[in-house]
Amino acid sequence: MTGLDPASLRPRLPSPLQEIEDDRCARRGVRLFLKRDDLIHPDLVGNKWRKLAPNLAAAAGRPILTFGGAYSNHLRATAAAGRLLGLPTVGVVRGEELADRPLNPSLTRCVADGMRLHFVDRPTYRRKAEPPVLDAILRAAGAQDAYVVPEGGSNALAVRGCRALGEELRGRADVVATACGTGGTFAGLAAGLGPGQRALGIPVLKGGFLTAGIQALQEAAFGARQGDWALDDRFHFGGYARTTPELDTFAEDFEDRHGVAVERLYVAKVLYGVMTLVTEGAFPAGSRVAAVITGAPFTG
């Protein structure tokens, strides 16, 4: 491929596994670990590295086109990868009305990293996976030759890339929890864990629809459902990009206790979910529970 091979960016792999002392866990006899995927790479943070790296390699130097909302972590990571690897990137942004407004800090970062933005109306965006609609988007964006990465980066390649996350945790935890957006990271994580380990997904979108999507991703990547996994849909706090004062207070307290910056859209929700389950007695005494820190706060 032209540019650099993704491996040349020197990711920190395996990412560190950090045990933390928390009295809420100690009272229940639970050991809590943080899988610090936020430390993999300063620009391609967390699960974005694991999902993007195999797709960047498959692109073989072609421009990358992908999709996201106005505050998409995935768009920022793709733009950063393009800058670092010398690849053109195109971001298809949900919401045609945004084209006439000043760019928010997230999209401003994308443009600064060289991404060309193409805004589409919301009905078209919802149908972007349909081949005729996708072809029309590619033509309108002037990107017919682009390698297409789906929204959130979740495809079979990404799921297989995220299997390494589970493999890094084999024998090191009884339950591994992560937040779920499109489900690609979780699908790979669950497949990589060993016998006797369980994956717990905390969806950040409401609707309870993600189980079928995760199973479909595993079938596309591995041919069948893999691993022992389940979702708990109680901790979305109103849906994607939604937070509440309760969640903010929890995240601030966690930061004060443990010195770990807590990203609000995903990480705060999985940590809140894990702590709630601990206090509910969901994990037997002696359990080792690992929460995956999939990203870091965006500072603009």
Side-chain angles (χ1 to χ4, degrees):
M1 67 184 279
T2 61
L4 301 174
D5 179 16
S8 69
L9 299 180
R10 301 183 182 276
R12 185 180 182 182
L13 292 171
S15 60
L17 185 65
Q18 172 188 359
E19 184 169 10
I20 63 171
E21 301 294 332
D22 193 293
D23 60 293
R24 295 165 291 188
C25 296
R27 285 194 294 269
R28 296 284 184 169
V30 173
R31 296 174 65 189
L32 180 62
F33 298 82
L34 304 181
K35 179 63 168 165
R36 299 294 305 273
D37 266 21
D38 57 313
L39 301 178
I40 288 177
H41 191 277
D43 291 294
L44 303 181
V45 177
N47 63 337
K48 301 308 176 190
W49 170 272
R50 297 187 188 273
K51 295 163 81 174
L52 273 174
N55 277 289
L56 292 167
R62 295 160 59 193
I64 303 289
L65 179 140
T66 194
F67 302 85
Y71 291 91
S72 169
N73 295 329
H74 170 67
L75 285 183
R76 289 200 310 276
T78 303
R83 170 175 56 82
L84 292 166
L85 295 171
L87 292 173
T89 57
V90 180
V92 178
V93 183
R94 180 180 63 247
E96 190 176 35
E97 72 279 2
L98 299 175
D100 298 323
R101 299 178 186 174
L103 296 179
N104 66 31
S106 185
L107 293 179
T108 297
R109 175 70 64 83
C110 291
V111 171
D113 278 341
M115 176 173 275
R116 182 163 57 86
L117 302 180
H118 177 73
F119 297 87
V120 301
D121 63 83
R122 294 168 190 272
T124 298
Y125 191 90
R126 285 193 292 270
R127 299 175 57 203
K128 61 188 178 297
E130 300 175 19
V133 176
L134 177 59
D135 287 345
I137 291 172
L138 292 174
R139 288 195 303 273
Q144 295 96 319
D145 61 338
Y147 178 88
V148 177
V149 178
E151 183 176 25
S154 291
N155 58 11
L157 279 175
V159 172
R160 288 194 286 268
C162 289
R163 179 169 51 187
L165 172 59
E167 293 169 346
E168 290 172 20
L169 286 162
R170 285 185 180 178
R172 307 189 72 183
D174 303 297
V175 179
V176 181
T178 190
C180 302
T182 51
T185 299
F186 184 72
L189 161 68
L193 294 174
Q197 292 181 293
R198 178 165 59 93
L200 170 65
I202 305 295
V204 302
L205 294 83
K206 63 181 178 180
F209 59 87
L210 201 52
T211 296
I214 292 168
Q215 183 155 328
L217 284 168
Q218 288 196 328
E219 289 170 354
F222 310 118
R225 179 172 173 140
Q226 298 282 306
D228 179 5
W229 58 267
L231 305 179
D232 192 323
D233 288 298
R234 294 181 291 161
F235 306 112
H236 54 72
F237 286 87
Y240 181 70
R242 301 288 181 87
T243 62
T244 66
E246 180 185 11
L247 183 64
D248 286 333
T249 297
F250 167 84
E252 290 166 4
D253 176 69
F254 195 94
E255 290 172 336
D256 291 341
R257 287 171 182 253
H258 304 299
V260 176
V262 177
E263 186 271 337
R264 296 300 196 265
L265 305 187
Y266 292 88
V267 176
K269 294 179 180 182
V270 71
L271 292 173
Y272 186 98
V274 166
M275 285 301 181
T276 299
L277 289 164
V278 167
T279 59
E280 290 175 352
F283 307 118
S287 295
R288 299 165 299 165
V289 179
V292 182
I293 309 301
T294 51
F298 174 58
T299 56

